[in-house]
Amino acid sequence: MRTVPGRTDRVVVVGAGLAGLSAALRLRGAGREVTVVERGPQPGGRAGRVEHAGYALDTGPSVLTAPGLIRDALACVGETLEDRLELLPLETTYRAQYADGSTLDVHADPEAFAAEAERVCGPGSGAEVRAYLQHIRDLDRLQWDVFIDRNLDSPLDLVGRPMVELARKGGFGRLAPHVDKRLTDERLRRLFSFQALYAGVSPFTAIAAYAVIAELDIGKGVWHPVGGIHAVPAALAAAAAAAGVVFRYDTTVASLDIRGGRAVGVRLEDGELLPADAVVVTVDRPDTLVPRRARKVKPVYSPSCVAIHVGVRQEFADRAHHTISFGASWREVFTELTQTGRPMSDPSLLISMPSKTDRTLAPEGGQVISIVAPTPNQDRHSGGNPDIDWAALGPRYRDEVLQTMEARGWTGLTGSIEVEEMLTPQDWADQGMAAGTPFALAHTFAQTGPFRPSTYPRGGLENVVLAGSSVQPGVGVPMVLVSGRLAAERITGKVPA
């Protein structure tokens, strides 16, 4: 593993999102003097929060998996997860809702889930689910330490038995056929392949190795942090500050001060210079600060989304914490999102109602609900559509999404909204996210593992490393937490567990 040469005593981290916080905790735990510069008023980055009229709306990720990564980051400064955060395991990970009117509850307990599959999908389905859960567990075992949880400098880093085993298990085929071969019922097939969209690709083009994404939520479980997802970066930042990390909020970085191939400081928008021996850049578009970072091929970006976050004066007592609401269309949905650049004509939606589990988030008699509707991004090369005028389409599309939910059983939702926050691809673009997507580079084969931009790109500045969803290992809360650790190790060297 290549590491930053020379002195690295003072480190400036650009961005207080999950990747930046993960890096800051590890750097501070390794004895570095750390300053985190964040343009927003609080930590969290994409994991934002809006509070109004007694409702607390998470405006970023809604599904939390792999809490051990949070525990590990806190341990770097001698903190425990239990002292900083209360996590509640969800007994029902998801409720899958299908166009034929059937529903299937994904239970955290694998035997309960298998029994539910048998009840809903028919004889033999339970056995298929048990076997498939074991299969993705095996895939995860092969991939995590070798393919995900390490810095990769070259494809040669992957040469070895795990990659041979992964190939034998069909990991380099296509995901949809891989799933179809092992599960008979179409509803189960969708349930175990929709996660490809988390990686920014269609299950019909994704490599089968991405079946392991289902292991993170369906296999290993989902948790809810009391106070909402934003409680995670708040806890990490509080622990980092207690350990001596300095935070500069409402502060924008203008540029890096570069001399002789190294960054000697971080220049703020007001002209102040923060001296640095090393810099961690976690912004969505690193090229804006690290101009020497070369990109040989045109990137492919993930689809974007319209995210609608509402506080409603209605209880919806019969609803689950997380609902995946599938439309009748399936393959056509991915064609629209990744090829023709059209919003889904028959949308599949991720609906989260965290106040079902955590009553601190809403007033009595109310709920907070987040609806994520995938949409094309704004990059034509990636199958997106830069010509969509979201200022004009956004309100109409919002109404269509809410009408779809009403038709799928969320009766009275539209008329009971008291608080609302909506984000469209144009809003993501205005926040500086490439191609107007919060999901960064798609996990195509050419942008996966050692082919994804490195935490320490060759040809860049010798003391500047990168973290976040745009680099290794990729998109999602677990991946960006890992990315922060990998970036810190480029500065400190690998720290023994």
Side-chain angles (χ1 to χ4, degrees), residues 129-176:
V129 163
R130 290 187 192 92
Y132 193 70
L133 287 172
Q134 182 59 55
H135 174 67
I136 58 177
R137 195 172 302 125
D138 291 343
L139 288 179
D140 180 69
R141 175 181 55 81
L142 287 171
Q143 292 184 69
W144 186 261
D145 290 339
V146 176
F147 204 64
I148 298 170
D149 195 28
R150 62 183 290 208
N151 277 302
L152 297 167
D153 292 319
S154 161
L156 295 177
D157 290 342
L158 295 178
V159 173
R161 182 178 296 277
M163 287 299 101
V164 173
E165 288 188 46
L166 183 60
R168 286 175 178 168
K169 289 182 178 293
F172 296 109
R174 296 298 176 191
L175 178 60

mmCIF file of all heavy atoms in Angstrom, residues 129-176:
data_model
loop_
_atom_site.group_PDB
_atom_site.id
_atom_site.type_symbol
_atom_site.label_atom_id
_atom_site.label_comp_id
_atom_site.label_asym_id
_atom_site.label_seq_id
_atom_site.Cartn_x
_atom_site.Cartn_y
_atom_site.Cartn_z
ATOM 1 N N VAL A 129 -34.727 -19.344 -0.022
ATOM 2 C CA VAL A 129 -34.249 -18.169 0.719
ATOM 3 C C VAL A 129 -33.108 -18.558 1.653
ATOM 4 O O VAL A 129 -32.093 -17.861 1.727
ATOM 5 C CB VAL A 129 -35.408 -17.508 1.488
ATOM 6 C CG1 VAL A 129 -34.885 -16.569 2.576
ATOM 7 C CG2 VAL A 129 -36.313 -16.746 0.534
ATOM 8 N N ARG A 130 -33.258 -19.663 2.371
ATOM 9 C CA ARG A 130 -32.174 -20.103 3.265
ATOM 10 C C ARG A 130 -30.882 -20.321 2.489
ATOM 11 O O ARG A 130 -29.804 -19.886 2.894
ATOM 12 C CB ARG A 130 -32.575 -21.391 3.982
ATOM 13 C CG ARG A 130 -33.662 -21.242 5.025
ATOM 14 C CD ARG A 130 -33.864 -22.551 5.790
ATOM 15 N NE ARG A 130 -35.072 -22.499 6.592
ATOM 16 C CZ ARG A 130 -36.271 -22.907 6.184
ATOM 17 N NH1 ARG A 130 -36.422 -23.415 4.954
ATOM 18 N NH2 ARG A 130 -37.314 -22.818 6.980
ATOM 19 N N ALA A 131 -31.001 -21.004 1.348
ATOM 20 C CA ALA A 131 -29.813 -21.307 0.547
ATOM 21 C C ALA A 131 -29.200 -20.033 -0.026
ATOM 22 O O ALA A 131 -27.966 -19.884 -0.065
ATOM 23 C CB ALA A 131 -30.174 -22.277 -0.577
ATOM 24 N N TYR A 132 -30.066 -19.090 -0.446
ATOM 25 C CA TYR A 132 -29.524 -17.872 -1.042
ATOM 26 C C TYR A 132 -28.876 -16.972 0.005
ATOM 27 O O TYR A 132 -27.850 -16.337 -0.261
ATOM 28 C CB TYR A 132 -30.612 -17.104 -1.801
ATOM 29 C CG TYR A 132 -30.027 -16.019 -2.672
ATOM 30 C CD1 TYR A 132 -29.299 -16.344 -3.816
ATOM 31 C CD2 TYR A 132 -30.153 -14.672 -2.324
ATOM 32 C CE1 TYR A 132 -28.727 -15.348 -4.603
ATOM 33 C CE2 TYR A 132 -29.591 -13.683 -3.110
ATOM 34 C CZ TYR A 132 -28.871 -14.026 -4.243
ATOM 35 O OH TYR A 132 -28.303 -13.048 -5.015
ATOM 36 N N LEU A 133 -29.455 -16.917 1.193
ATOM 37 C CA LEU A 133 -28.825 -16.151 2.267
ATOM 38 C C LEU A 133 -27.431 -16.692 2.577
ATOM 39 O O LEU A 133 -26.491 -15.926 2.815
ATOM 40 C CB LEU A 133 -29.699 -16.179 3.522
ATOM 41 C CG LEU A 133 -30.980 -15.342 3.478
ATOM 42 C CD1 LEU A 133 -31.837 -15.612 4.715
ATOM 43 C CD2 LEU A 133 -30.664 -13.855 3.371
ATOM 44 N N GLN A 134 -27.284 -18.016 2.568
ATOM 45 C CA GLN A 134 -25.968 -18.602 2.793
ATOM 46 C C GLN A 134 -25.029 -18.266 1.635
ATOM 47 O O GLN A 134 -23.838 -17.983 1.841
ATOM 48 C CB GLN A 134 -26.074 -20.115 2.951
ATOM 49 C CG GLN A 134 -24.751 -20.816 3.241
ATOM 50 C CD GLN A 134 -24.094 -20.298 4.510
ATOM 51 O OE1 GLN A 134 -24.713 -20.302 5.574
ATOM 52 N NE2 GLN A 134 -22.844 -19.835 4.409
ATOM 53 N N HIS A 135 -25.567 -18.253 0.431
ATOM 54 C CA HIS A 135 -24.761 -17.951 -0.756
ATOM 55 C C HIS A 135 -24.204 -16.527 -0.691
ATOM 56 O O HIS A 135 -22.997 -16.312 -0.916
ATOM 57 C CB HIS A 135 -25.617 -18.126 -2.008
ATOM 58 C CG HIS A 135 -24.938 -17.705 -3.280
ATOM 59 N ND1 HIS A 135 -23.851 -18.362 -3.801
ATOM 60 C CD2 HIS A 135 -25.200 -16.663 -4.131
ATOM 61 C CE1 HIS A 135 -23.463 -17.756 -4.918
ATOM 62 N NE2 HIS A 135 -24.263 -16.734 -5.135
ATOM 63 N N ILE A 136 -25.043 -15.527 -0.373
ATOM 64 C CA ILE A 136 -24.537 -14.156 -0.342
ATOM 65 C C ILE A 136 -23.632 -13.950 0.882
ATOM 66 O O ILE A 136 -22.748 -13.095 0.863
ATOM 67 C CB ILE A 136 -25.675 -13.110 -0.391
ATOM 68 C CG1 ILE A 136 -26.658 -13.268 0.762
ATOM 69 C CG2 ILE A 136 -26.380 -13.182 -1.738
ATOM 70 C CD1 ILE A 136 -27.751 -12.192 0.768
ATOM 71 N N ARG A 137 -23.841 -14.749 1.928
ATOM 72 C CA ARG A 137 -22.919 -14.700 3.076
ATOM 73 C C ARG A 137 -21.530 -15.162 2.635
ATOM 74 O O ARG A 137 -20.515 -14.570 3.003
ATOM 75 C CB ARG A 137 -23.460 -15.581 4.191
ATOM 76 C CG ARG A 137 -22.820 -15.351 5.562
ATOM 77 C CD ARG A 137 -23.561 -16.131 6.638
ATOM 78 N NE ARG A 137 -24.961 -15.776 6.688
ATOM 79 C CZ ARG A 137 -25.971 -16.632 6.581
ATOM 80 N NH1 ARG A 137 -25.734 -17.924 6.419
ATOM 81 N NH2 ARG A 137 -27.208 -16.225 6.644
ATOM 82 N N ASP A 138 -21.493 -16.207 1.818
ATOM 83 C CA ASP A 138 -20.218 -16.700 1.306
ATOM 84 C C ASP A 138 -19.561 -15.675 0.382
ATOM 85 O O ASP A 138 -18.332 -15.470 0.430
ATOM 86 C CB ASP A 138 -20.422 -18.021 0.551
ATOM 87 C CG ASP A 138 -20.810 -19.164 1.472
ATOM 88 O OD1 ASP A 138 -20.611 -19.042 2.696
ATOM 89 O OD2 ASP A 138 -21.336 -20.175 0.962
ATOM 90 N N LEU A 139 -20.370 -15.029 -0.467
ATOM 91 C CA LEU A 139 -19.832 -13.999 -1.348
ATOM 92 C C LEU A 139 -19.247 -12.843 -0.538
ATOM 93 O O LEU A 139 -18.177 -12.309 -0.860
ATOM 94 C CB LEU A 139 -20.920 -13.470 -2.286
ATOM 95 C CG LEU A 139 -21.398 -14.380 -3.412
ATOM 96 C CD1 LEU A 139 -22.493 -13.678 -4.212
ATOM 97 C CD2 LEU A 139 -20.257 -14.777 -4.324
ATOM 98 N N ASP A 140 -19.947 -12.458 0.512
ATOM 99 C CA ASP A 140 -19.458 -11.379 1.370
ATOM 100 C C ASP A 140 -18.131 -11.759 2.013
ATOM 101 O O ASP A 140 -17.205 -10.933 2.085
ATOM 102 C CB ASP A 140 -20.507 -11.082 2.437
ATOM 103 C CG ASP A 140 -20.085 -9.962 3.370
ATOM 104 O OD1 ASP A 140 -20.034 -8.809 2.906
ATOM 105 O OD2 ASP A 140 -19.793 -10.230 4.548
ATOM 106 N N ARG A 141 -18.026 -12.983 2.481
ATOM 107 C CA ARG A 141 -16.783 -13.457 3.103
ATOM 108 C C ARG A 141 -15.625 -13.376 2.109
ATOM 109 O O ARG A 141 -14.510 -12.972 2.465
ATOM 110 C CB ARG A 141 -16.961 -14.895 3.588
ATOM 111 C CG ARG A 141 -15.698 -15.539 4.151
ATOM 112 C CD ARG A 141 -15.981 -16.967 4.572
ATOM 113 N NE ARG A 141 -16.546 -17.757 3.499
ATOM 114 C CZ ARG A 141 -15.837 -18.313 2.522
ATOM 115 N NH1 ARG A 141 -14.522 -18.133 2.460
ATOM 116 N NH2 ARG A 141 -16.427 -19.033 1.581
ATOM 117 N N LEU A 142 -15.881 -13.706 0.863
ATOM 118 C CA LEU A 142 -14.838 -13.666 -0.156
ATOM 119 C C LEU A 142 -14.420 -12.241 -0.497
ATOM 120 O O LEU A 142 -13.247 -11.964 -0.759
ATOM 121 C CB LEU A 142 -15.324 -14.360 -1.426
ATOM 122 C CG LEU A 142 -15.419 -15.885 -1.399
ATOM 123 C CD1 LEU A 142 -16.116 -16.372 -2.657
ATOM 124 C CD2 LEU A 142 -14.033 -16.501 -1.280
ATOM 125 N N GLN A 143 -15.387 -11.327 -0.494
ATOM 126 C CA GLN A 143 -15.130 -9.999 -1.039
ATOM 127 C C GLN A 143 -14.693 -8.954 -0.028
ATOM 128 O O GLN A 143 -13.902 -8.067 -0.359
ATOM 129 C CB GLN A 143 -16.402 -9.477 -1.734
ATOM 130 C CG GLN A 143 -16.766 -10.231 -2.995
ATOM 131 C CD GLN A 143 -17.969 -9.594 -3.668
ATOM 132 O OE1 GLN A 143 -17.874 -8.495 -4.196
ATOM 133 N NE2 GLN A 143 -19.094 -10.285 -3.634
ATOM 134 N N TRP A 144 -15.203 -9.010 1.192
ATOM 135 C CA TRP A 144 -15.053 -7.866 2.079
ATOM 136 C C TRP A 144 -13.594 -7.496 2.313
ATOM 137 O O TRP A 144 -13.173 -6.363 2.073
ATOM 138 C CB TRP A 144 -15.781 -8.128 3.401
ATOM 139 C CG TRP A 144 -15.778 -6.917 4.272
ATOM 140 C CD1 TRP A 144 -14.946 -6.645 5.314
ATOM 141 C CD2 TRP A 144 -16.629 -5.769 4.145
ATOM 142 N NE1 TRP A 144 -15.234 -5.408 5.855
ATOM 143 C CE2 TRP A 144 -16.260 -4.849 5.159
ATOM 144 C CE3 TRP A 144 -17.673 -5.430 3.272
ATOM 145 C CZ2 TRP A 144 -16.889 -3.619 5.322
ATOM 146 C CZ3 TRP A 144 -18.304 -4.199 3.443
ATOM 147 C CH2 TRP A 144 -17.906 -3.314 4.445
ATOM 148 N N ASP A 145 -12.813 -8.437 2.818
ATOM 149 C CA ASP A 145 -11.425 -8.118 3.175
ATOM 150 C C ASP A 145 -10.538 -7.876 1.961
ATOM 151 O O ASP A 145 -9.588 -7.096 2.024
ATOM 152 C CB ASP A 145 -10.824 -9.251 4.017
ATOM 153 C CG ASP A 145 -11.440 -9.322 5.406
ATOM 154 O OD1 ASP A 145 -12.010 -8.321 5.861
ATOM 155 O OD2 ASP A 145 -11.370 -10.398 6.036
ATOM 156 N N VAL A 146 -10.860 -8.537 0.858
ATOM 157 C CA VAL A 146 -9.972 -8.478 -0.316
ATOM 158 C C VAL A 146 -10.375 -7.374 -1.281
ATOM 159 O O VAL A 146 -9.536 -6.656 -1.829
ATOM 160 C CB VAL A 146 -9.978 -9.843 -1.043
ATOM 161 C CG1 VAL A 146 -9.148 -9.774 -2.318
ATOM 162 C CG2 VAL A 146 -9.461 -10.933 -0.124
ATOM 163 N N PHE A 147 -11.672 -7.194 -1.476
ATOM 164 C CA PHE A 147 -12.179 -6.357 -2.554
ATOM 165 C C PHE A 147 -12.671 -5.000 -2.072
ATOM 166 O O PHE A 147 -12.699 -4.038 -2.823
ATOM 167 C CB PHE A 147 -13.332 -7.109 -3.235
ATOM 168 C CG PHE A 147 -13.595 -6.708 -4.652
ATOM 169 C CD1 PHE A 147 -12.651 -6.926 -5.642
ATOM 170 C CD2 PHE A 147 -14.806 -6.144 -5.015
ATOM 171 C CE1 PHE A 147 -12.904 -6.578 -6.963
ATOM 172 C CE2 PHE A 147 -15.071 -5.789 -6.330
ATOM 173 C CZ PHE A 147 -14.110 -6.019 -7.301
ATOM 174 N N ILE A 148 -13.095 -4.925 -0.797
ATOM 175 C CA ILE A 148 -13.770 -3.728 -0.295
ATOM 176 C C ILE A 148 -12.970 -3.034 0.803
ATOM 177 O O ILE A 148 -12.670 -1.848 0.717
ATOM 178 C CB ILE A 148 -15.179 -4.093 0.227
ATOM 179 C CG1 ILE A 148 -16.045 -4.644 -0.905
ATOM 180 C CG2 ILE A 148 -15.843 -2.872 0.875
ATOM 181 C CD1 ILE A 148 -17.357 -5.253 -0.442
ATOM 182 N N ASP A 149 -12.600 -3.771 1.833
ATOM 183 C CA ASP A 149 -12.060 -3.168 3.055
ATOM 184 C C ASP A 149 -10.537 -3.056 3.019
ATOM 185 O O ASP A 149 -9.853 -3.407 3.978
ATOM 186 C CB ASP A 149 -12.511 -4.004 4.254
ATOM 187 C CG ASP A 149 -12.317 -3.270 5.572
ATOM 188 O OD1 ASP A 149 -12.358 -2.036 5.556
ATOM 189 O OD2 ASP A 149 -12.118 -3.929 6.606
ATOM 190 N N ARG A 150 -10.008 -2.533 1.934
ATOM 191 C CA ARG A 150 -8.563 -2.349 1.832
ATOM 192 C C ARG A 150 -8.261 -1.342 0.730
ATOM 193 O O ARG A 150 -9.050 -1.158 -0.205
ATOM 194 C CB ARG A 150 -7.849 -3.673 1.528
ATOM 195 C CG ARG A 150 -8.266 -4.269 0.192
ATOM 196 C CD ARG A 150 -7.636 -5.615 -0.088
ATOM 197 N NE ARG A 150 -6.212 -5.536 -0.348
ATOM 198 C CZ ARG A 150 -5.557 -6.416 -1.107
ATOM 199 N NH1 ARG A 150 -6.194 -7.436 -1.670
ATOM 200 N NH2 ARG A 150 -4.261 -6.289 -1.299
ATOM 201 N N ASN A 151 -7.121 -0.699 0.843
ATOM 202 C CA ASN A 151 -6.657 0.176 -0.226
ATOM 203 C C ASN A 151 -6.104 -0.672 -1.368
ATOM 204 O O ASN A 151 -5.332 -1.610 -1.143
ATOM 205 C CB ASN A 151 -5.564 1.113 0.295
ATOM 206 C CG ASN A 151 -6.132 2.333 0.993
ATOM 207 O OD1 ASN A 151 -6.896 3.091 0.394
ATOM 208 N ND2 ASN A 151 -5.785 2.523 2.263
ATOM 209 N N LEU A 152 -6.511 -0.333 -2.568
ATOM 210 C CA LEU A 152 -6.066 -1.063 -3.761
ATOM 211 C C LEU A 152 -5.291 -0.112 -4.659
ATOM 212 O O LEU A 152 -5.794 0.942 -5.055
ATOM 213 C CB LEU A 152 -7.275 -1.636 -4.513
ATOM 214 C CG LEU A 152 -8.104 -2.671 -3.748
ATOM 215 C CD1 LEU A 152 -9.424 -2.934 -4.455
ATOM 216 C CD2 LEU A 152 -7.321 -3.975 -3.589
ATOM 217 N N ASP A 153 -4.063 -0.471 -4.975
ATOM 218 C CA ASP A 153 -3.225 0.348 -5.845
ATOM 219 C C ASP A 153 -3.186 -0.159 -7.276
ATOM 220 O O ASP A 153 -2.816 0.583 -8.190
ATOM 221 C CB ASP A 153 -1.798 0.409 -5.293
ATOM 222 C CG ASP A 153 -1.721 1.193 -3.989
ATOM 223 O OD1 ASP A 153 -2.395 2.233 -3.888
ATOM 224 O OD2 ASP A 153 -1.002 0.753 -3.066
ATOM 225 N N SER A 154 -3.567 -1.412 -7.456
ATOM 226 C CA SER A 154 -3.450 -2.029 -8.780
ATOM 227 C C SER A 154 -4.376 -3.235 -8.845
ATOM 228 O O SER A 154 -4.641 -3.878 -7.818
ATOM 229 C CB SER A 154 -2.002 -2.483 -9.016
ATOM 230 O OG SER A 154 -1.919 -3.430 -10.049
ATOM 231 N N PRO A 155 -4.868 -3.584 -10.049
ATOM 232 C CA PRO A 155 -5.634 -4.824 -10.184
ATOM 233 C C PRO A 155 -4.863 -6.048 -9.713
ATOM 234 O O PRO A 155 -5.461 -7.050 -9.300
ATOM 235 C CB PRO A 155 -5.924 -4.889 -11.692
ATOM 236 C CG PRO A 155 -5.887 -3.479 -12.144
ATOM 237 C CD PRO A 155 -4.822 -2.824 -11.315
ATOM 238 N N LEU A 156 -3.536 -5.971 -9.741
ATOM 239 C CA LEU A 156 -2.722 -7.103 -9.289
ATOM 240 C C LEU A 156 -2.892 -7.360 -7.797
ATOM 241 O O LEU A 156 -2.605 -8.465 -7.316
ATOM 242 C CB LEU A 156 -1.245 -6.852 -9.614
ATOM 243 C CG LEU A 156 -0.890 -6.780 -11.107
ATOM 244 C CD1 LEU A 156 0.578 -6.446 -11.286
ATOM 245 C CD2 LEU A 156 -1.236 -8.085 -11.807
ATOM 246 N N ASP A 157 -3.380 -6.367 -7.064
ATOM 247 C CA ASP A 157 -3.624 -6.558 -5.635
ATOM 248 C C ASP A 157 -4.696 -7.610 -5.378
ATOM 249 O O ASP A 157 -4.795 -8.140 -4.270
ATOM 250 C CB ASP A 157 -4.073 -5.238 -4.984
ATOM 251 C CG ASP A 157 -2.948 -4.215 -4.917
ATOM 252 O OD1 ASP A 157 -1.775 -4.610 -5.037
ATOM 253 O OD2 ASP A 157 -3.249 -3.022 -4.742
ATOM 254 N N LEU A 158 -5.508 -7.880 -6.406
ATOM 255 C CA LEU A 158 -6.611 -8.825 -6.227
ATOM 256 C C LEU A 158 -6.254 -10.250 -6.632
ATOM 257 O O LEU A 158 -7.062 -11.163 -6.443
ATOM 258 C CB LEU A 158 -7.820 -8.365 -7.052
ATOM 259 C CG LEU A 158 -8.444 -7.031 -6.627
ATOM 260 C CD1 LEU A 158 -9.589 -6.677 -7.549
ATOM 261 C CD2 LEU A 158 -8.912 -7.092 -5.186
ATOM 262 N N VAL A 159 -5.091 -10.432 -7.189
ATOM 263 C CA VAL A 159 -4.707 -11.768 -7.635
ATOM 264 C C VAL A 159 -4.596 -12.688 -6.422
ATOM 265 O O VAL A 159 -3.947 -12.372 -5.430
ATOM 266 C CB VAL A 159 -3.367 -11.726 -8.396
ATOM 267 C CG1 VAL A 159 -2.895 -13.140 -8.715
ATOM 268 C CG2 VAL A 159 -3.533 -10.916 -9.679
ATOM 269 N N GLY A 160 -5.278 -13.834 -6.491
ATOM 270 C CA GLY A 160 -5.211 -14.776 -5.384
ATOM 271 C C GLY A 160 -6.449 -15.648 -5.317
ATOM 272 O O GLY A 160 -7.388 -15.512 -6.114
ATOM 273 N N ARG A 161 -6.471 -16.524 -4.340
ATOM 274 C CA ARG A 161 -7.539 -17.518 -4.218
ATOM 275 C C ARG A 161 -8.939 -16.909 -4.091
ATOM 276 O O ARG A 161 -9.886 -17.426 -4.705
ATOM 277 C CB ARG A 161 -7.249 -18.437 -3.035
ATOM 278 C CG ARG A 161 -8.281 -19.547 -2.856
ATOM 279 C CD ARG A 161 -7.915 -20.448 -1.695
ATOM 280 N NE ARG A 161 -6.664 -21.139 -1.943
ATOM 281 C CZ ARG A 161 -6.554 -22.259 -2.656
ATOM 282 N NH1 ARG A 161 -7.646 -22.788 -3.199
ATOM 283 N NH2 ARG A 161 -5.394 -22.835 -2.842
ATOM 284 N N PRO A 162 -9.142 -15.819 -3.291
ATOM 285 C CA PRO A 162 -10.505 -15.294 -3.173
ATOM 286 C C PRO A 162 -11.130 -14.911 -4.510
ATOM 287 O O PRO A 162 -12.316 -15.151 -4.736
ATOM 288 C CB PRO A 162 -10.317 -14.068 -2.268
ATOM 289 C CG PRO A 162 -9.121 -14.402 -1.453
ATOM 290 C CD PRO A 162 -8.211 -15.127 -2.380
ATOM 291 N N MET A 163 -10.345 -14.322 -5.412
ATOM 292 C CA MET A 163 -10.898 -13.943 -6.705
ATOM 293 C C MET A 163 -11.221 -15.170 -7.548
ATOM 294 O O MET A 163 -12.199 -15.183 -8.299
ATOM 295 C CB MET A 163 -9.924 -13.024 -7.448
ATOM 296 C CG MET A 163 -9.848 -11.633 -6.888
ATOM 297 S SD MET A 163 -11.422 -10.727 -6.928
ATOM 298 C CE MET A 163 -11.965 -10.903 -5.211
ATOM 299 N N VAL A 164 -10.417 -16.215 -7.411
ATOM 300 C CA VAL A 164 -10.706 -17.462 -8.128
ATOM 301 C C VAL A 164 -12.010 -18.057 -7.607
ATOM 302 O O VAL A 164 -12.877 -18.494 -8.370
ATOM 303 C CB VAL A 164 -9.541 -18.466 -7.960
ATOM 304 C CG1 VAL A 164 -9.917 -19.809 -8.568
ATOM 305 C CG2 VAL A 164 -8.267 -17.915 -8.610
ATOM 306 N N GLU A 165 -12.166 -18.050 -6.282
ATOM 307 C CA GLU A 165 -13.401 -18.584 -5.690
ATOM 308 C C GLU A 165 -14.607 -17.760 -6.101
ATOM 309 O O GLU A 165 -15.680 -18.295 -6.370
ATOM 310 C CB GLU A 165 -13.290 -18.610 -4.167
ATOM 311 C CG GLU A 165 -12.354 -19.673 -3.622
ATOM 312 C CD GLU A 165 -12.441 -19.756 -2.110
ATOM 313 O OE1 GLU A 165 -13.578 -19.767 -1.583
ATOM 314 O OE2 GLU A 165 -11.390 -19.791 -1.460
ATOM 315 N N LEU A 166 -14.421 -16.430 -6.145
ATOM 316 C CA LEU A 166 -15.518 -15.557 -6.549
ATOM 317 C C LEU A 166 -15.946 -15.851 -7.979
ATOM 318 O O LEU A 166 -17.144 -15.897 -8.287
ATOM 319 C CB LEU A 166 -15.100 -14.096 -6.403
ATOM 320 C CG LEU A 166 -16.168 -13.044 -6.714
ATOM 321 C CD1 LEU A 166 -17.368 -13.201 -5.797
ATOM 322 C CD2 LEU A 166 -15.581 -11.640 -6.585
ATOM 323 N N ALA A 167 -14.986 -16.075 -8.849
ATOM 324 C CA ALA A 167 -15.303 -16.422 -10.235
ATOM 325 C C ALA A 167 -16.041 -17.751 -10.306
ATOM 326 O O ALA A 167 -17.010 -17.907 -11.061
ATOM 327 C CB ALA A 167 -14.023 -16.478 -11.063
ATOM 328 N N ARG A 168 -15.610 -18.720 -9.493
ATOM 329 C CA ARG A 168 -16.271 -20.026 -9.477
ATOM 330 C C ARG A 168 -17.719 -19.938 -9.011
ATOM 331 O O ARG A 168 -18.569 -20.715 -9.424
ATOM 332 C CB ARG A 168 -15.485 -20.987 -8.583
ATOM 333 C CG ARG A 168 -14.177 -21.481 -9.186
ATOM 334 C CD ARG A 168 -13.415 -22.330 -8.189
ATOM 335 N NE ARG A 168 -12.179 -22.854 -8.778
ATOM 336 C CZ ARG A 168 -11.218 -23.434 -8.085
ATOM 337 N NH1 ARG A 168 -11.341 -23.557 -6.749
ATOM 338 N NH2 ARG A 168 -10.131 -23.877 -8.683
ATOM 339 N N LYS A 169 -17.976 -18.981 -8.135
ATOM 340 C CA LYS A 169 -19.337 -18.806 -7.630
ATOM 341 C C LYS A 169 -20.178 -17.914 -8.532
ATOM 342 O O LYS A 169 -21.298 -17.534 -8.191
ATOM 343 C CB LYS A 169 -19.291 -18.233 -6.214
ATOM 344 C CG LYS A 169 -18.789 -19.232 -5.174
ATOM 345 C CD LYS A 169 -18.816 -18.623 -3.783
ATOM 346 C CE LYS A 169 -18.359 -19.639 -2.734
ATOM 347 N NZ LYS A 169 -19.317 -20.763 -2.603
ATOM 348 N N GLY A 170 -19.637 -17.558 -9.689
ATOM 349 C CA GLY A 170 -20.395 -16.774 -10.663
ATOM 350 C C GLY A 170 -20.400 -15.286 -10.411
ATOM 351 O O GLY A 170 -21.230 -14.560 -10.960
ATOM 352 N N GLY A 171 -19.464 -14.803 -9.591
ATOM 353 C CA GLY A 171 -19.469 -13.401 -9.198
ATOM 354 C C GLY A 171 -19.206 -12.415 -10.315
ATOM 355 O O GLY A 171 -19.496 -11.222 -10.152
ATOM 356 N N PHE A 172 -18.689 -12.884 -11.449
ATOM 357 C CA PHE A 172 -18.402 -11.964 -12.544
ATOM 358 C C PHE A 172 -19.399 -12.094 -13.691
ATOM 359 O O PHE A 172 -19.201 -11.526 -14.760
ATOM 360 C CB PHE A 172 -16.968 -12.164 -13.033
ATOM 361 C CG PHE A 172 -15.949 -11.830 -11.973
ATOM 362 C CD1 PHE A 172 -15.203 -12.822 -11.363
ATOM 363 C CD2 PHE A 172 -15.775 -10.521 -11.566
ATOM 364 C CE1 PHE A 172 -14.286 -12.521 -10.377
ATOM 365 C CE2 PHE A 172 -14.859 -10.203 -10.572
ATOM 366 C CZ PHE A 172 -14.111 -11.203 -9.970
ATOM 367 N N GLY A 173 -20.490 -12.828 -13.439
ATOM 368 C CA GLY A 173 -21.595 -12.843 -14.381
ATOM 369 C C GLY A 173 -22.492 -11.632 -14.140
ATOM 370 O O GLY A 173 -22.111 -10.680 -13.469
ATOM 371 N N ARG A 174 -23.712 -11.677 -14.660
ATOM 372 C CA ARG A 174 -24.660 -10.583 -14.452
ATOM 373 C C ARG A 174 -25.559 -10.907 -13.258
ATOM 374 O O ARG A 174 -25.930 -12.055 -13.023
ATOM 375 C CB ARG A 174 -25.506 -10.353 -15.704
ATOM 376 C CG ARG A 174 -24.689 -9.904 -16.915
ATOM 377 C CD ARG A 174 -23.999 -8.586 -16.659
ATOM 378 N NE ARG A 174 -23.123 -8.173 -17.763
ATOM 379 C CZ ARG A 174 -22.256 -7.190 -17.701
ATOM 380 N NH1 ARG A 174 -22.118 -6.506 -16.576
ATOM 381 N NH2 ARG A 174 -21.508 -6.895 -18.732
ATOM 382 N N LEU A 175 -25.925 -9.854 -12.513
ATOM 383 C CA LEU A 175 -26.653 -10.058 -11.272
ATOM 384 C C LEU A 175 -28.033 -10.668 -11.486
ATOM 385 O O LEU A 175 -28.410 -11.618 -10.789
ATOM 386 C CB LEU A 175 -26.783 -8.720 -10.531
ATOM 387 C CG LEU A 175 -27.580 -8.760 -9.226
ATOM 388 C CD1 LEU A 175 -26.950 -9.715 -8.229
ATOM 389 C CD2 LEU A 175 -27.701 -7.363 -8.632
ATOM 390 N N ALA A 176 -28.821 -10.129 -12.422
ATOM 391 C CA ALA A 176 -30.196 -10.610 -12.580
ATOM 392 C C ALA A 176 -30.248 -12.111 -12.894
ATOM 393 O O ALA A 176 -30.972 -12.855 -12.219
ATOM 394 C CB ALA A 176 -30.928 -9.799 -13.649
#
